[in-house]
């Protein structure tokens, strides 16, 4: 039996290499033809790129704006017509019906609706006097450094710090092939939109127009937006207004209090926003645009041995409201060993001095300004300097996503003014904790650097992640506002018209 089996075994082993080689050839040909004729592969590679290794993101507002106006702005001026035309109830009702059909499609076809991504945004195409004209105004005048506010801050530097309206808009209107963010998409039909973006540059108009001219433009922008059928349908609850400077759009804010405001903070003290105008439920806090350059991984490594200053602060010590604590802290810390407290402004010289000081310091003082927030906090973060936050009323950007305890020190105002308390506390923090917080700063800094193209995990990206969480409440409040029985209102209107027609001649 064994003699008969031996040849069979040898024969089987002799055929194995031939069979294996044949199988490998067949498999290779199969993969070749699959990738050659697969439409999904070629489409994904060509039309939906996620990353552009050859495109370096631009983080300078001035440089990005120069390129945007040169290559993206329309060559032919937009129509000067700034009216929407008469909006009748029929237009609003028709939009509402189309919206209902779309929402039912999403409900039945999307298991994650209404929390699904991407967020669908309709961007209004407003007359150029609200958009491109204001960008050109900034571009043509930003070198005029003599243009300063009453407290000495360069106006154009303040505009840069609050330029979130530019970064968001530039990303939303860019061709889809050039965009990297996948959690927000621009739609061209209003019934397909979750949210409506109003691209009005409120900060530029506030600082660069004469007072009366600015107020007139605010009123025109208000009329343009509130005359839109989509606004009337929701009473503005699904509309986004960039109002990032606390002084901007102030004269007409009360008429858009239902809308989503993009703010630097909540300012619950009531000095800048009236009661009931802002809330964490409807509004969103966005970080200031940093006034200093990003200290990247290489910079952080090189600067680590140079960080010999324990605590650094450069800015104005005299502020209003909650910022009055600055003067008390300044008086307490001035002259202390390993502490630098300097009075300064945000001009070019001030920027260089602040950047140099922050990169040589372990901790950076970030007390409240005129409002609970301060641009200095974000300057410290991108400089790798651990922020020491002294602001009892402060609400932080993206706090529902980011844990600031991992990269910042929080001190109450009560403790901060006690003699010697701040320095004793900072000196008690171990070197191990400091290294860990600095590593977290290096990781977190990407969340506070605006850029074009907007980067995944950058502030523009986190805006839409936070917005997605608001959609359920927005839809809820929109539908509640429509509970009034409009049919009875229409009947009343018709009856009134009939009654009036018996007493007056019709208008021809």
């Amino acid at each position: 039996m064994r003699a008969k089996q031996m040849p069979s075994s040898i024969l089987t082993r002799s055929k194995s290499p031939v069979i294996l080689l044949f199988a490998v050839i067949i498999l290779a040909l199969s993969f070749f033809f699959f990738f050659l004729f697969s439409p999904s592969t070629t489409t994904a590679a060509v039309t939906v790129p996620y990353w552009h290794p050859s495109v370096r993101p631009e983080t300078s507002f001035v440089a990005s704006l120069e390129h945007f106006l040169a290559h993206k702005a329309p060559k032919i001026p937009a129509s000067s017509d700034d009216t929407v035309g008469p909006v009748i109830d029929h237009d609003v009702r028709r939009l509402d019906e189309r919206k209902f059909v779309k929402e039912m499609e999403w409900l039945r076809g999307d298991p994650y609706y209404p929390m699904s991504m991407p967020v669908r945004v309709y961007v209004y195409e407003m007359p150029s006097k609200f958009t491109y004209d204001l960008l050109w105004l900034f571009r043509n005048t930003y070198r005029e450094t003599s243009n300063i506010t009453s407290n000495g801050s360069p106006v154009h530097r303040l505009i840069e710090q609050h330029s979130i309206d530019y970064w968001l808009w530039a990303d939303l209107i860019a061709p889809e092939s050039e965009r990297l963010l996948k959690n927000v998409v621009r739609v061209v039909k209003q019934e397909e939109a979750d949210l409506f973006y109003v691209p009005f540059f409120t900060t530029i108009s506030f600082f660069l127009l004469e007072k009366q001219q600015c107020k007139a433009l605010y009123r025109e922008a208000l009329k343009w937006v509130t005359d839109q059928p989509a606004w009337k349908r929701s009473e503005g609850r699904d509309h986004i207004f960039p109002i990032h400077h606390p002084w901007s759009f102030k004269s007409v804010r009360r008429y858009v209090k239902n809308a989503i405001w993009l703010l630097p903070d909540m300012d619950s003290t009531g000095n800048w926003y009236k009661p009931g105008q802002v809330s964490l439920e409807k509004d969103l806090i966005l970080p200031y645009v940093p006034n200093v350059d990003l200290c990247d991984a290489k910079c952080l490594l090189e600067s680590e041995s140079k960080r010999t200053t324990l605590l650094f602060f450069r800015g104005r010590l005299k502020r209003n409201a909650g910022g009055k604590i600055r003067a008390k802290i300044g008086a307490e810390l001035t002259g202390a060993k390993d502490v630098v407290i300097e009075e300064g402004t945000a001009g070019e010289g001030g920027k260089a001095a602040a950047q140099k000081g922050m990169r040589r310091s372990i901790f950076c003082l970030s007390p409240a300004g005129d409002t609970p927030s301060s641009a200095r906090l974000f300057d410290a973060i991108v400089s790798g300097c651990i922020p020491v936050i002294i602001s009892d009323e402060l609400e932080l950007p993206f706090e529902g996503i980011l844990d600031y305890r991992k990269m910042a020190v929080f001190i109450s105002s009560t403790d901060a003014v006690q003699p010697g308390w701040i320095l004793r506390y900072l000196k008690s923090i171990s070197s191990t904790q400091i290294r860990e917080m600095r590593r977290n700063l290096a990781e977190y800094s990407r969340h506070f650097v605006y850029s074009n193209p907007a980067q995944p995990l950058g502030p523009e990206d986190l805006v839409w992640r936070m917005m997605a969480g608001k959609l359920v409440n927005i839809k809820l409040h929109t539908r509640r506002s429509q509970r009034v029985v409009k049919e009875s209102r229409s009947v009343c209107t018709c009856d009134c018209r009939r009654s009036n027609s018996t007493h007056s001649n019709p208008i021809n």
Side-chain angles (χ1 to χ4, degrees):
M1 293 289 291
R2 283 180 293 183
K4 292 181 180 178
Q5 290 173 352
M6 286 294 292
S8 174
S9 175
I10 295 171
L11 181 62
T12 303
R13 285 197 299 271
S14 67
K15 290 182 179 179
S16 296
V18 177
I19 296 172
L20 181 62
L21 179 61
F22 181 74
V24 169
I25 292 172
I26 294 297
L27 187 61
L29 288 172
S30 299
F31 275 110
F32 173 76
F33 285 110
F34 174 79
F35 285 107
L36 181 64
F37 296 107
S38 173
S40 60
T41 303
T42 53
T43 301
V46 175
T47 62
V48 195
Y50 182 70
W51 185 253
H52 296 266
S54 61
V55 178
R56 180 175 177 173
E58 179 57 70
T59 59
S60 163
F61 172 60
V62 173
S64 178
L65 182 60
E66 288 276 4
H67 182 271
F68 178 84
L69 292 175
H71 300 282
K72 305 292 179 67
K75 305 302 179 185
I76 302 174
S79 170
S80 59
D81 181 15
D82 58 356
T83 62
V84 178
V87 178
I88 57 177
D89 288 343
H90 174 68
D91 297 323
V92 180
R93 188 163 54 250
R94 185 172 57 180
L95 174 60
D96 189 52
E97 290 169 355
R98 294 202 307 267
K99 184 71 174 174
F100 172 76
V101 171
K102 272 294 175 185
E103 288 177 343
M104 287 299 99
E105 289 179 9
W106 294 332
L107 180 63
R108 293 164 184 155
D110 183 354
Y112 302 106
Y113 176 79
M115 296 294 291
S116 56
M117 299 287 270
V119 176
R120 296 166 286 251
V121 179
Y122 182 89
V123 183
Y124 281 120
E125 294 187 12
M126 301 182 74
S128 62
K129 63 182 175 182
F130 302 119
T131 55
Y132 291 103
D133 290 357
L134 292 171
L135 292 178
W136 277 111
L137 177 62
F138 176 89
R139 185 264 179 201
N140 293 334
T141 60
Y142 78 90
R143 296 188 186 280
E144 298 176 7
T145 54
S146 60
N147 190 356
I148 60 176
T149 64
S150 58
N151 59 20
S153 296
V155 163
H156 291 84
R157 181 69 66 191
L158 285 174
I159 292 173
E160 288 183 57
Q161 290 179 349
H162 295 279
S163 60
I164 59 99
D165 42 15
Y166 164 76
W167 297 106
L168 288 172
W169 186 55
D171 176 64
L172 285 171
I173 66 173
E176 198 60 32
S177 60
E178 298 177 10
R179 298 183 65 251
L180 303 180
L181 302 189
K182 301 304 173 188
N183 59 3
V184 59
V185 62
R186 181 186 182 184
V187 296
V188 296
K189 295 181 179 179
Q190 293 191 1
E191 62 265 26
E192 296 179 350
D194 296 311
L195 298 167
F196 295 79
Y197 186 82
V198 181
F200 177 40
F201 292 93
T202 59
T203 301
I204 294 179
S205 52
F206 175 80
F207 279 113
L208 298 186
L209 298 179
E210 295 295 332
K211 186 175 182 180
Q212 295 307 317
Q213 185 184 9
C214 176
K215 286 187 174 182
L217 191 65
Y218 282 174
R219 289 192 296 269
E220 291 179 50
L222 175 70
K223 183 181 187 308
W224 194 96
V225 174
T226 56
D227 276 350
Q228 297 288 341
W231 177 279
K232 292 183 179 296
R233 174 185 175 271
S234 68
E235 296 181 346
R237 288 179 174 85
D238 51 7
H239 283 56
I240 301 172
F241 267 93
I243 311 178
H244 199 258
H245 193 280
W247 297 341
S248 63
F249 219 52
K250 196 170 182 179
S251 58
V252 295
R253 282 178 189 165
R254 62 186 180 276
Y255 301 110
V256 296
K257 64 180 182 180
N258 289 336
I260 304 164
W261 294 6
L262 304 182
L263 303 166
D265 56 47
M266 288 287 110
D267 184 33
S268 55
T269 62
N271 291 299
W272 303 105
Y273 310 113
K274 300 297 182 184
Q277 285 186 348
V278 298
S279 69
L280 285 174
E281 180 184 8
K282 76 175 185 70
D283 302 317
L284 192 62
I285 302 169
L286 270 64
Y288 290 71
V289 177
N291 188 45
V292 298
D293 300 328
L294 172 67
C295 187
D296 58 18
K298 180 183 177 183
C299 167
L300 286 169
L301 185 63
E302 293 174 348
S303 67
E304 187 167 359
S305 61
K306 301 175 184 177
R307 294 183 184 270
T308 55
T309 300
L310 176 66
L311 181 63
F312 175 81
F313 173 86
R314 178 181 172 83
R316 290 185 301 277
L317 292 172
K318 186 178 180 181
R319 306 300 286 172
N320 299 314
K324 290 180 179 179
I325 194 173
R326 283 193 186 185
K328 297 178 182 178
I329 296 173
E332 166 66 24
L333 295 174
T334 298
K337 183 181 178 182
D338 298 329
V339 175
V340 175
I341 303 293
E342 299 176 344
E343 186 82 29
T345 60
E348 284 300 326
K351 171 183 175 179
Q355 180 166 297
K356 181 179 178 181
M358 286 183 171
R359 293 188 181 187
R360 291 186 174 182
S361 304
I362 299 171
F363 297 100
C364 285
L365 192 65
S366 181
D370 286 343
T371 64
S373 66
S374 168
R376 191 165 291 97
L377 167 62
F378 309 103
D379 291 348
I381 290 173
V382 301
S383 298
C385 187
I386 300 169
V388 179
I389 299 174
I390 304 174
S391 181
D392 298 341
E393 303 294 333
L394 180 62
E395 301 287 352
L396 292 162
F398 316 134
E399 199 166 0
I401 299 175
L402 306 179
D403 188 352
Y404 285 81
R405 298 172 302 170
K406 304 295 184 182
M407 62 169 182
V409 174
F410 292 86
I411 296 178
S412 71
S413 298
T414 303
D415 290 334
V417 296
Q418 294 182 26
W421 199 97
I422 293 178
L423 294 184
R424 285 197 303 270
Y425 181 74
L426 295 181
K427 290 176 181 178
S428 71
I429 300 175
S430 69
S431 57
T432 302
Q433 290 174 293
I434 289 173
R435 284 194 297 270
E436 178 65 22
M437 295 178 83
R438 194 175 293 142
R439 279 196 294 269
N440 290 333
L441 279 176
E443 180 182 346
Y444 274 47
S445 60
R446 72 171 77 178
H447 306 313
F448 304 99
V449 178
Y450 295 86
S451 63
N452 193 2
Q455 300 294 299
L457 296 182
E460 302 93 336
D461 187 356
L462 298 192
V463 163
W464 302 112
R465 294 181 188 230
M466 296 289 286
M467 284 292 182
K470 294 181 179 291
L471 288 181
V472 173
N473 270 343
I474 290 169
K475 293 177 187 295
L476 170 65
H477 287 297
T478 296
R479 288 165 186 164
R480 279 180 174 171
S481 69
Q482 296 172 332
R483 283 181 180 174
V484 176
V485 183
K486 295 182 179 179
E487 286 76 8
S488 63
R489 188 189 301 166
S490 301
V491 169
C492 177
T493 303
C494 293
D495 289 342
C496 291
R497 285 175 180 171
R498 273 194 228 102
S499 175
N500 290 336
S501 65
T502 61
H503 300 286
S504 60
N505 296 323
I507 300 175
N508 296 323

